[in-house]
Structures are given as structure tokens and as C-alpha cells.
Amino acid sequence: LEAPHHSATTASLVGGGSGLVRPGAISRAAHGVLFLDEAPEFMAELCPEAAPIAGGTDLLPRIKRSGSAPRWVVDLRCVDDLKYERSEGSRVAFGALTSISAFARSPFLTRQSPLMAVAAGFLGSPQIRNLATVGGNICNAAPSAEMATPLLVLDGEVVMRSVRGSRTMPIGEFFRGPGRTALGPDELVVGLSADAVSPATLTCYLRHTRRAATDIALASTSLRVDLDAAGVIQKARLAVGAVAPTPLRSLAAEELLVGRELTGGHVPRLAAEVADLVVDRTCSPITDVRCTADYRSEMTRLLVRRALEELGRQHVAAGSAGGDDESR
Amino acid sequence: MMSPGREGPANHEGVGWEGDRGPIGVSVPNIDAIDSVTGRAKYAGDVRLPGVVYAKVVRSPIPHARIVGINTSAALETGGVVAVLTGADCPDRGYGPAIPDEHILAKEKVRFAGDEVAIVVAVDEDTAEEASDLVHVEYDPLPCLADPAEAMEVGACLVHGVERNIAARIELARGDTDEALGHAYCITEHEYRTPLVYHAYIEANAATADIDASGRITLYTGMQDPVAARRSFAAALGIEEDLLRVVQMNVGGGFGGKLQPKAPLLCAFTALRTGRAVRLVNTRRDDFLGSQPRVPMTIRVKLGGRKDGTITAKQLTIIADNGAYSRLGPGILSTALYRIDALYPVPNVRAVGQLVYTNKMPTAAFRGFGNAQTHFAVECEIDEFAEALGLDPLEVRRKNFSAPGSVNPFGWQIGSCGVEDCVDRVASASRWTEKRAHKASGRGIGAACCVHVSGNRGAFREFEGSSAMIRIDRNGTVFLFSGEADVGQGARTVFAQIVAETVGVSLAKVRVVPIDTDTAPFAIGTYASRVTYVGGNAVRDAARKARDSMLELAAEELDTPIELLCVQEGRIWNRLAPERETSVAAVVMANAFRTGGQSLTATGHFRPDVEMPDETKQGNISGAYPFAAQVAEVEVDRETGQIKLHGIYAAHDLGRAINPVMSEGQIEGGIAQGIGWALFEELKHEDGHLANDGFLDYLIPTVLDIPTIEISLVESNEPTGPFGAKALGEPTLIPTAPAIANAIYHAVGVRMRELPITSDKVLASLRALERSDLVEGHVD
């Protein structure tokens, strides 16, 4: 926006030592936004020719690939107000700029949201995880986005902000198609929230990739069930990735699960039944250079089945450990 | 008997000037390691000349089309654009090592999506990039020939005007295959397919070309054969060879892909036409599209033999996908047809191969040079043959191996051969017998062997051999000049070790001079795993001659008979009177002061005892043959088809390990690349367009995909090799894919005959097997 001469001093940038710090000027001089308040103003002024940048792990490859860059890039990396993690009742809230590696590293997040931590551990490579942010992962809206299915099953919500104000939306409504979201051209995702872990909640994240690391999932699934004292499923959430235009929940499978038990020998049959339902009712995969649609469906069927069997094992383990949630 | 590697010159026998004191057989660190890992090493992309202009290649978006017209005016009108070059600016005469079917820029036709149509030259990279979109090419599309089967159909559109698009057909035979098959107790026959794969070196091709007032070009780049490429490039450019000087930068991997790659030629061409210093650096996408990947082959193998596992007849039928231009295709096809006969000298063989043009990028050399493709097919088929006979696959191999000192049906003189030893070592390390007999569910173990060459007579038409120069400076520094390139494999370090050992100085006193064609001896380059054996022998010869001259001077100075002199770590002394001593530096300096400052110089050379194959392929292609055996242990997930590798056991007969740790490193790298070929890698085309033109979807293995690798170095001591050494580079990759495929079969009973063996293919095969088992169950 403004390119100060490379010899400009700090004093000259903040107003010649007048003592009046003018935030916009500092942000401009820093080539990046520093304060959350002003971020939407940049977007309002510059959209639709502006793209926000956080980790840049999606935006920069896209620019390189297409050979064309947005006219403006609004650099959010210095906005400290987008970096937070806190409890909000039974929910956990985190800023859009929370790095993917933070989910695996932050003691608070790993404790409060182990499902997100597991999924985060699979995203890209260590270098990419250090740069990439949860907000960016969601806004990029890849059908295979690593953080999407965990947020879907944890009843995640997205907080968006523009000069017109703030709004909050369930993550399921946020995704609109491959690379498309409900975000307005002048809006920014500023934060997210999700259910925190509770002793009655069991979760599992599984994915299938072509190689052991740094690969995009051919299929992925997140599963979460809340059990009552008798071990009956009170609430179920099941989401799948990479098999539809957006990551999405399988409402039919969730309905089937509620009221069922996760004990005894019937888990395998239940798992198979749920897996078939997910594939029949929820999946509409494509064939591409990575694999065929059929293989994606088959892997989804398998991952859903394995996820439910895993929860069955977790439940048994929790029972034998005296009800403590030591199953992870 | 004295081991051949320790033999000194005849007149100094017993003195032990070489092979028992210096760094041969010692794992000294790569002499370039610290510069490489600290970012100090300079690569072609690091060269920045003042006033340089930037070249951007305009590529065809269409796989096959006639060029109706090219309108460059919009691009030329862009501010900052210096020139736009097209096919009209190129020599009319085509070029190519075997078939001159290629032009620097496309003339009249484009033959693959990515074919180079024009070059935009501008004062900066962005301008060149933007203006490249303004070059308007009008195309008249032609049918796209996606694979050889389609291209060979009668009436198919012709890529180059040759009948049925067959660029080359090679047929060779020994013995009477039909008769031997008629008498065979057991015959098996299957078809195998290998894919189009990219070398995935870490450094994409880059070059900077400077040009002086006389029109002489200096090309800064990194290639496998900078000296030989200079000659080919000059011919392609239509200029005298002297008008092109090549300065070799560090190379970030080649694997065959940097044998005369296109990018440096385009760069030199642009400098020639514009008279400006030009920089051309491939983006990774450019490097994928402008690559020269491995020749894909469909290989039908028929084996016939006796009840005891002796193979009496072998028949190979190969269809090779040449891509749009020939480059090294004919030689690669020839290699695929009969090199494996040096591993199993089957008396009755017939091999027929056809090299077919298609509308994909031109193919060329890739670690193994056609031999890897055939090994995948034959090493799998031998397991089929063994199973049909109820024999252990390693036992069948042992029955058919070449013996040391034998001559194969094509006249190849095998010399040293440690393949039996290789098999013993991998069998014992992997607990082969036990694991073959008692296998855990879903787990399996498989093996494959390999033979290769140490240089390939015929790849370079005029000769096989190498030469080197030594200059010992007055302060005792030994400079080595060789034209054979280090592309990351460590040739410079191995050469330095040979020089230090032979001359008798410490490694730190040896400088391997970077290749510059103005000073380097002529050399045919780094391919056919030839550098340590052929180049190393030449280096050793030069070093011996330098040492002998130096010792003559020392003998004079110390007034001592030359045969009583010892030289070590730069010190020279009389072994009967150790107080009579001097040093390399002192001797050379004294001589310099007597002779007007002259350095002590020597030249040496090596020509292996080879014979150019005749038209029936009778000859002896290499001076020494390396062997190997590898065992893979896998686990197959029956529900996903995913392969988990539990270990690779590798034994390589490399003659002698001049640097054991670097040898092991090369084996680990080759196996990793072999795992990529076996399980992950394939350039996929959709409607003639490359669908995975980057590392997002062109998957190479990560470190987490590589299992524990247990290595055994088999030192068979090749009598003609430098200190007993022969080749290692390519054999490291060759057995990996068939060993994995054989292990998968042992694990779950599915025979994967097409690479890469991806999990979706394995799952489909497992499902098909389950269905056929069910059907058979009903019949019973």
C-alpha cells in the first residue's frame, strides 16, 4: 500500500517522534496488518481484488501454479488477536491464525481437542504444519481438508468478521463446494470453536493416503459418539472427507447410530451397516489422477467401519479402566 | 597371490606404493559435503551475470498438431522483451544421438503437449513470463497417439512419417529357441508393464549462457556429460565445437535425466541468436514437461526349462514407448533386449523389440537404461517359473547364474562375478529359508538379482575409455583434471581418494578441478555406471605417471635407487635409510625452480578391454560386470491393498568399495528410488496432457516410506578395476521393484505385473483372486 524508503527510521514511520502512534501507518510500513480492528477495513477497501494471507501454504502454490496473483494480499500474520486458545464453557475456542502444529503441540489444545490434534498431525509435513493455519485450512475448503471433518463432528462454528460486523455459522453451512465457502469477499474468518472433550465422548479420525507422509487423503473420516451411563449412544456425529464436493456429515449414519450400544459382539455388524449407509447415501466421489471413485468409496467404507470398531475398543477399554477416559 | 588391487608397477613390485596405506577402502567424508549442506556449493541457478536476459519457453498446449502460424508481434511489442525465437530461427537439420528427429524448437509440427514452440527473451523474468502468453500460435490439431498400441495400428496418424510409427525394430537370437521350448519340461509366459517415470532430481534444470564478441558461448550448467554434450550441442546449434565452452556447476542429481537435457541447449541457442547473456531456469512444471523420463515398456517374457530349474530358452517381446523424439531410445531398447543374458547365460534366446513414437514427452536414460525394465519382467517371471516347478526361486536363480570368468552367448566376458555371494548374504541376513517356509498372514518375502555394466561400449560411438591429467604444484598440491562428472554420487571424492593413494599424499592435498571444457580432458560422461571403473582407472594411470616422474626426481635428489623410495602422506624416504628423506612439495618445488616454474604434470588414460557389438550384438560391451541381489519383506493390508515394507536386504558386488559409506549411501538412494518406481511413481496423461506435473500428485517416497535397509558390500575384486572396483550406481535400483513384486505374491498370492503397484491395483487383484477362489470352491 505504501512503500517506505528502505532507509526510513522507526521514528519517521510512527510520525516523526510526535508520540502519536498511528496504527494504519505502522501496519502499512510493516507490510502486514497488525491489529484485528483494521483487518476488515483493508478487506472492505480492497475486495474483491484482495486475498488474505496467513500461512500461505495454499495461496502461494496457487499463485505459482496459475501464474496470476491477486492484486492485493492482506497479510494477517502479525495480528495477535487472531492467535488465541481458550475454554468457553463446554467449548474450546481458537483463533483463525492458530497453526496446525499448535494443535499437536499446545498442551491446552491437545487436552481439550484430541481429535483435532490427531488430524492436525497428518496434515502436510512438519514444515507445512508450522506455517499453515486452521483458518486457512477451512477457508481453502478442499474436500480433503484435514481439519474439516473433526470440526464437523465436534459441532464446530466459524466466526467471521467484516466492517459490517461479526457473524457465527456452523461449519457444515460454511462449506459450499470445492474451494467455495460462505465467506463474503470482504469477510475474514477470525476464529473457530468446537465441543471440548468430555468423559462421555469418544472420537476417532482415520484417513487413507497413497504414501506414508505429506500426502492428500484419498478418503478420511471423523467419528464422535456421546454415550450415556448405560453405554447407549446419545449423540453421534460422522463426517467424511474427499468423497464429495465438500467435507460433510452423514446424517443417515448418525441417525442409525443414536440409541445403539457400543458393546458386545454386535459392533462389527453395526460398523458394517453404518459404513454401507455412508457409502450409499453420503459419498459421491470422483475419479481423478489420485485414484478412482470406486476406490475412494471402498476406502470410505473401510475407514468408517474401522473407526466404529475403534470406538468400540475405546469404550471397552474405558469400561475396564473404571470409567476413566484413558482410552486414547 | 597378491590381490590385484594392491599390485604396483612391475618394476616396483613389493614396494607397495599403492593400496595399503592411503584412503582406499576408507569412508572419508565426501569432499563436497560441507559446502553442500551449508549452502555454499554453487549450482547453475546460482550463476548471476550482469546484463543477463531471461528466457521463457512457450510450450505447445496440444499433444499433436500442425503449426499453421506463429504471431509474435504482441509479445515483441511488450516493453522489456528482447526477442522472440521460433522454429524458423533454428537450423533446418534435425539432431539426435541415434535418429536426428528433433529440432531445438518445433518446426511445422508439435508432437507432445509441452513441446517447445518458442522462446521469449526479456529483461526480467516476469516480463518474459507475461509476454510468453502473448505468443499466438495457430494449431491445426492432429489425432493424439496416447500409447504404442494405438500408434502402431495400420492407418494411424504418423508422428514422424515413419511406417506404423516404429522408430526402431531390433531382433536378436542365439541358439534355437523354438526347439528348446519344444523340449522344455516347463514353460511359463506373462506380460509386464513399466510406466513413464520422472527422475525427480532435487535440482531442476538450469543454465546461463554468456557470449563474447567473437560469438563464443560459455554455458554454465550442470550435466552428466558436460564434455560430450558440448559436442552434441554444437552440432545441434550448427556451430564449431570450439565456439561453445561448457562450465560445469554442481549438480543436484541426474539419474539419466541430465544426459544432454534440453534446457541448457535452449539457453545456448538463445544466447547465440540474441548475442546476449541468457538465463534459463526451469520451474518444476517446466522440468516435468521438458523432462526425458524412463522409456515405458510392455515386456512379454517366455521361459522354458528343465525340471531341475535350468532355464534352456528365453523369449522376450518388447514394445517400447519412445515418446515424441528418439534421443537414446534405440540404445535403451537394445539394452532391454539382452543385457540380462549376462546374469543368466541362457543358450537359446530370442528377443524382438519395437520402439514406437507416441505423443508424449521424449523418453531417454533413467538409472538402469532399459535393463531395469527387463529385470522387473524377467525377475518376476523366474519366480513364476520356480513356482510352476515347485522350487525355491533363489535356487532356480543359482542354477542359471553366470560363472566368474565365463563368456555369455553374446561374447560378453564376465570376469569377476560375486552374484552367488550376494545371494548367500541376502538370504542369510533376511532369514530367507525360514521366512519362505513359515510366513505370517499378509506378510511375504521376495528376491531379485541383477547384472549391469561398468561402462557401455557403443553408447558413445567412437570409443569407450577415459583420460585424466595431473598437475602437481610447487607447494605439493595435486590437481586432478577429469571430464567425468560428479552428479552427486561422489565421483570427485572417489577420484581424490585414488589420487591420494596412488601419488602418496594426504587427501587434503588433492584438488579435483571443476570441469571446464577449456581445461578438462575429453570425456564421454556419467552414465552406464562407468565413472569409478573407467574414469577411476584413467585417474589412477595419470596419478601413477605423476608419481613415477616425481620419484625419479626424488631419487636424484636423495641419490637413492628409485625402488628403495617410499612415499606416504607427501613424505618421501629411503626405506633402508629413513634419514634420507624429502617431500613431494620439496621435490616439485626444486624442479620448478630449475625449469622456469614448471609444474610436474602427467596424463593418463584407460581403455577397457571391450569389443563393439556387431550387428548381431556379438561383442563385449563392458570391461567389468557388477552384480547384486536384494530381498524385500512386505506386509499387505488385504482391506486397503496397501503395501508396507518391513525391510530391504541388499548385497552388491561392486568389486571393491573405494568408499564404503558412500557406497552404502548410493545403495540406500537407489533402493529409495526403486521403491518409488515399484509403488508410487507414474507420469499420467489425460487426453494427451500431463495430469500430475508437480510433486503434489507425482509422488516419490518420503523417508517414512523407506524401511530399514540392510546392506552387504560384496568385494569380488575385479582384476581390471581401479583397486579392484567396478560399478555400483545403477544396480542399486534394478532389483528393488521385482523383489517387492515377488514379496507381494508370496504375501497374498496376487501377481502384480504392472508398475507402479498402487494400493488400488492390489485391492482389485485381491478381490479378483477371492472371486476366482470362490468359483473354484464351487467346482470342487
Side-chain angles (χ1 to χ4, degrees):
Chain A
L1 292 171
E2 287 175 359
H5 191 261
H6 64 84
S7 65
T9 61
T10 310
S12 72
L13 291 176
V14 300
S18 64
L20 285 170
V21 177
R22 289 174 297 174
I26 296 175
S27 288
R28 289 171 182 194
H31 288 294
V33 185
L34 295 177
F35 303 98
L36 181 54
D37 284 353
E38 62 189 30
E41 293 186 22
F42 283 104
M43 292 305 293
E45 191 185 329
L46 303 173
C47 77
E49 294 177 306
I53 185 168
T57 56
D58 285 313
L59 182 64
L60 291 182
R62 203 183 309 145
I63 290 172
K64 261 179 116 167
R65 216 174 156 71
S66 65
S68 68
R71 189 179 159 99
W72 303 107
V73 171
V74 177
D75 187 349
L76 301 174
R77 287 173 299 176
C78 299
V79 183
D80 283 340
D81 288 345
L82 294 176
K83 301 170 193 169
Y84 60 87
E85 49 184 56
R86 60 176 176 250
S87 280
E88 288 179 354
S90 64
R91 306 271 289 173
V92 51
F94 37 86
L97 225 55
T98 306
S99 75
I100 300 301
S101 59
F103 283 90
R105 281 207 195 128
S106 147
F108 173 78
L109 289 174
T110 48
R111 198 173 58 246
Q112 294 295 313
S113 200
L115 183 65
M116 299 280 289
V118 169
F122 286 115
L123 191 149
S125 61
Q127 294 90 331
I128 290 172
R129 292 196 285 275
N130 285 339
L131 283 173
T133 64
V134 64
N137 188 247
I138 297 308
C139 289
N140 193 50
S144 59
E146 222 67 69
M147 307 309 284
T149 59
L151 282 166
L152 282 165
V153 302
L154 296 172
D155 291 341
E157 288 185 336
V158 188
V159 185
M160 292 170 275
R161 186 159 162 172
S162 69
V163 287
R164 294 167 286 125
S166 289
R167 59 179 180 142
T168 300
M169 179 185 277
I171 185 88
E173 293 169 32
F174 181 73
F175 297 123
R176 294 287 164 88
R180 288 192 300 116
T181 66
L183 200 65
D186 63 338
E187 265 182 319
L188 292 168
V189 169
V190 294
L192 293 114
S193 68
D195 286 349
V197 76
S198 86
T201 302
L202 301 178
T203 58
C204 178
Y205 175 82
L206 294 175
R207 76 201 292 251
H208 184 73
T209 54
R210 296 163 294 180
R211 69 178 173 197
T214 322
D215 196 7
I216 288 165
L218 301 180
S220 64
T221 190
S222 286
L223 178 59
R224 167 256 182 109
V225 296
D226 294 2
L227 302 171
D228 67 10
V232 176
I233 297 174
Q234 295 297 302
K235 174 175 177 175
R237 293 283 183 273
L238 193 160
V240 287
V243 284
T246 67
L248 79 170
R249 281 167 57 190
S250 177
L251 300 178
E254 292 173 1
E255 209 171 292
L256 182 72
L257 282 166
V258 172
R260 307 291 280 265
E261 285 177 48
L262 265 188
T263 47
H266 61 270
V267 171
R269 204 170 58 239
L270 177 65
E273 205 180 325
V274 170
D276 289 345
L277 197 62
V278 170
V279 171
D280 291 348
R281 304 273 289 275
T282 312
C283 292
S284 54
I286 56 163
T287 292
D288 64 9
V289 72
R290 291 172 197 149
C291 73
T292 62
D294 279 352
Y295 190 69
R296 283 199 164 89
S297 292
E298 282 316 295
M299 289 307 100
T300 302
R301 193 190 309 277
L302 182 69
L303 294 179
V304 169
R305 214 187 71 212
R306 285 183 177 177
L308 252 167
E309 287 171 357
E310 165 62 20
L311 291 198
R313 278 192 295 274
Q314 284 183 21
H315 180 52
V316 172
S320 61
D324 285 350
D325 186 30
E326 297 285 333
S327 54
R328 293 211 49 82
Chain B
M1 199 186 112
M2 219 161 70
S3 70
R6 290 170 187 245
E7 199 174 359
N11 55 331
H12 306 312
E13 208 161 352
V15 177
W17 280 341
E18 295 168 28
D20 53 3
R21 344 136 283 183
I24 296 296
V26 179
S27 295
V28 300
N30 185 312
I31 59 173
D32 298 318
I34 294 180
D35 278 348
S36 298
V37 300
T38 55
R40 286 182 177 88
K42 298 292 183 288
Y43 296 82
D46 295 320
V47 176
R48 299 277 179 180
L49 297 182
V52 76
V53 290
Y54 296 78
K56 175 74 192 169
V57 177
V58 179
R59 298 181 179 280
S60 167
I62 297 175
H64 198 189
R66 240 179 291 282
I67 299 172
V68 178
I70 304 180
N71 184 344
T72 61
S73 54
L76 278 169
E77 280 160 19
T78 307
V81 170
V82 172
V84 179
L85 305 173
T86 68
D89 300 299
C90 303
D92 287 333
R93 207 155 50 87
Y95 70 91
I99 302 170
D101 57 8
E102 189 165 3
H103 289 87
I104 295 171
L105 292 171
K107 284 177 180 279
E108 294 165 18
K109 268 180 85 172
V110 289
R111 295 179 174 89
F112 70 100
D115 209 346
E116 294 91 354
V117 178
I119 295 174
V120 175
V121 191
V123 293
D124 63 58
E125 218 161 351
D126 288 347
T127 306
E129 170 91 43
E130 279 166 31
S132 70
D133 292 336
L134 302 175
V135 175
H136 297 297
V137 186
E138 194 187 329
Y139 296 103
D140 176 15
L142 295 165
C144 167
L145 303 167
D147 61 59
E150 214 176 300
M152 288 167 79
E153 272 172 27
V154 177
C157 181
L158 299 181
V159 181
H160 281 281
V162 298
E163 200 185 335
R164 292 178 60 220
N165 288 307
I166 298 169
R169 186 179 187 284
I170 305 173
E171 182 165 359
L172 36 114
R174 290 294 182 274
D176 189 335
T177 305
D178 289 335
E179 202 209 322
L181 285 171
H183 289 113
Y185 171 82
C186 173
I187 293 175
T188 66
E189 181 175 8
H190 295 95
E191 192 170 280
Y192 298 83
R193 282 165 188 273
T194 65
L196 191 69
V197 283
Y198 171 65
H199 308 82
Y201 31 64
I202 197 164
E203 180 208 16
N205 279 292
T208 289
D210 201 3
I211 185 163
D212 69 13
S214 75
R216 189 169 195 254
I217 299 165
T218 300
L219 180 63
Y220 301 87
T221 190
M223 294 189 284
Q224 290 175 231
D225 56 342
V227 192
R230 172 202 191 203
R231 193 176 78 151
S232 313
F233 285 2
L237 293 167
I239 60 172
E240 289 294 319
E241 196 178 340
D242 176 57
L243 288 179
L244 179 62
R245 168 186 166 214
V246 177
V247 175
Q248 170 86 343
M249 305 302 292
N250 286 290
V251 184
F255 313 112
K258 287 180 188 161
L259 269 175
Q260 308 188 6
K262 187 92 181 235
L265 173 60
L266 293 170
C267 187
F269 166 72
T270 308
L272 181 69
R273 285 290 175 269
T274 60
R276 301 282 297 263
V278 177
R279 174 179 162 88
L280 191 158
V281 178
N282 273 358
T283 62
R284 188 55 77 168
R285 182 166 186 271
D286 270 321
D287 211 79
F288 267 88
L289 290 171
S291 65
Q292 39 186 10
R294 188 188 287 280
V295 180
M297 293 187 188
T298 300
I299 304 176
R300 178 162 276 277
V301 190
K302 190 173 189 176
L303 296 178
R306 292 201 280 268
K307 203 174 181 174
D308 68 353
T310 307
I311 300 168
T312 53
K314 174 170 100 336
Q315 186 170 294
L316 287 180
T317 314
I318 300 182
I319 306 286
D321 186 346
N322 201 18
Y325 304 102
S326 292
R327 300 200 184 170
L328 299 166
I332 290 167
L333 176 60
S334 162
T335 299
L337 288 170
Y338 79 120
R339 184 166 294 176
I340 201 167
D341 296 329
L343 180 59
Y344 310 113
V346 177
N348 305 292
V349 289
R350 180 164 59 218
V352 184
Q354 299 185 90
L355 181 68
V356 185
Y357 287 118
T358 57
N359 295 120
K360 289 182 296 215
M361 62 272 268
T363 55
F366 193 144
R367 209 171 197 167
F369 206 75
N371 195 32
Q373 288 91 317
T374 300
H375 270 74
F376 172 63
V378 172
E379 286 297 289
C380 287
E381 194 61 26
I382 286 182
D383 267 40
E384 297 262 2
F385 182 72
E387 197 192 12
L389 289 168
L391 297 173
D392 179 283
L394 281 179
E395 288 315 310
V396 169
R397 285 176 173 83
R398 283 184 209 271
K399 272 253 177 290
N400 294 285
F401 281 144
S402 279
S406 62
V407 177
N408 94 338
F410 291 89
W412 294 20
Q413 294 161 23
I414 296 305
S416 63
C417 170
V419 69
E420 294 263 6
D421 205 1
C422 290
V423 169
D424 288 345
R425 298 221 199 160
V426 290
S428 135
S430 66
R431 295 188 288 134
W432 170 265
T433 313
E434 183 189 325
K435 285 178 187 163
R436 285 294 287 192
H438 312 284
K439 68 180 211 67
S441 171
R443 282 182 81 139
I445 187 166
C449 296
C450 121
V451 67
H452 205 64
V453 293
S454 314
N456 179 7
R457 178 70 185 99
F460 189 83
R461 209 168 295 114
E462 289 82 354
F463 72 91
E464 167 63 304
S466 189
S467 67
M469 298 190 300
I470 295 271
R471 194 189 93 215
I472 308 181
D473 216 351
R474 63 183 167 74
N475 56 16
T477 305
V478 184
F479 290 91
L480 169 71
F481 298 77
S482 165
E484 311 291 2
D486 191 333
V487 294
Q489 84 276 35
R492 287 164 47 80
T493 303
V494 164
F495 285 174
Q497 287 178 263
I498 291 174
V499 169
E501 180 85 33
T502 309
V503 175
V505 295
S506 68
L507 197 63
K509 280 300 212 182
V510 181
R511 302 260 162 243
V512 182
V513 180
I515 296 171
D516 175 335
T517 55
D518 277 1
T519 53
F522 188 74
I524 62 184
T526 298
Y527 66 89
S529 303
R530 60 187 291 284
V531 170
T532 296
Y533 176 76
V534 183
N537 263 327
V539 167
R540 189 190 193 190
D541 188 47
R544 274 178 171 172
K545 287 172 177 160
R547 178 200 60 208
D548 290 352
S549 308
M550 177 188 77
L551 289 182
E552 271 170 37
L553 294 170
E556 215 170 293
E557 183 188 321
L558 298 178
D559 194 17
T560 294
I562 193 166
E563 54 276 13
L564 291 183
L565 290 180
C566 293
V567 53
Q568 194 173 347
E569 298 276 312
R571 206 169 65 85
I572 302 169
W573 71 96
N574 179 331
R575 71 185 155 95
L576 298 181
E579 72 285 356
R580 301 175 78 165
E581 68 165 320
T582 180
S583 69
V584 172
V587 167
V588 178
M589 189 161 329
N591 184 57
F593 293 163
R594 276 197 304 274
T595 58
Q598 183 177 296
S599 297
L600 197 154
T601 59
T603 61
H605 75 277
F606 175 67
R607 293 196 63 177
D609 184 15
V610 294
E611 195 189 323
M612 178 80 161
D614 64 17
E615 65 283 358
T616 72
K617 301 289 176 194
Q618 197 70 18
N620 181 32
I621 213 158
S622 189
Y625 299 92
F627 295 86
Q630 289 182 6
V631 163
E633 200 175 349
V634 306
E635 183 173 355
V636 181
D637 182 331
R638 289 175 189 274
E639 292 182 313
T640 61
Q642 206 146 41
I643 310 297
K644 183 171 170 50
L645 296 170
H646 282 284
I648 303 268
Y649 305 85
H652 285 260
D653 168 18
L654 74 176
R656 173 110 190 260
I658 292 194
N659 187 317
V661 161
M662 277 175 28
S663 303
E664 287 167 10
Q666 201 166 28
I667 292 170
E668 287 173 357
I671 287 171
Q673 200 166 36
I675 289 169
W677 194 43
L679 301 182
F680 302 116
E681 297 180 38
E682 180 173 19
L683 291 167
K684 291 186 178 176
H685 283 80
E686 287 169 6
D687 303 323
H689 294 88
L690 183 60
N692 49 348
D693 56 2
F695 288 124
L696 178 64
D697 282 308
Y698 185 86
L699 296 192
I700 59 173
T702 69
V703 70
L704 294 183
D705 298 289
I706 310 298
T708 305
I709 297 172
E710 214 173 286
I711 294 169
S712 185
L713 301 176
V714 173
E715 300 194 311
S716 62
N717 227 333
E718 166 60 38
T720 64
F723 303 97
K726 50 186 177 178
L728 177 64
E730 290 167 280
T732 57
L733 168 143
I734 294 172
T736 309
I740 290 172
N742 288 336
I744 292 169
Y745 182 79
H746 184 235
V748 290
V750 295
R751 175 52 70 182
M752 304 308 296
R753 296 198 179 90
E754 181 186 289
L755 298 180
I757 305 171
T758 52
S759 45
D760 51 344
K761 290 184 196 168
V762 175
L763 188 66
S765 299
L766 282 164
R767 295 273 160 92
L769 182 73
E770 281 162 21
R771 280 195 298 275
S772 70
D773 283 353
L774 275 178
V775 172
E776 277 170 30
H778 285 304
V779 172
D780 292 344

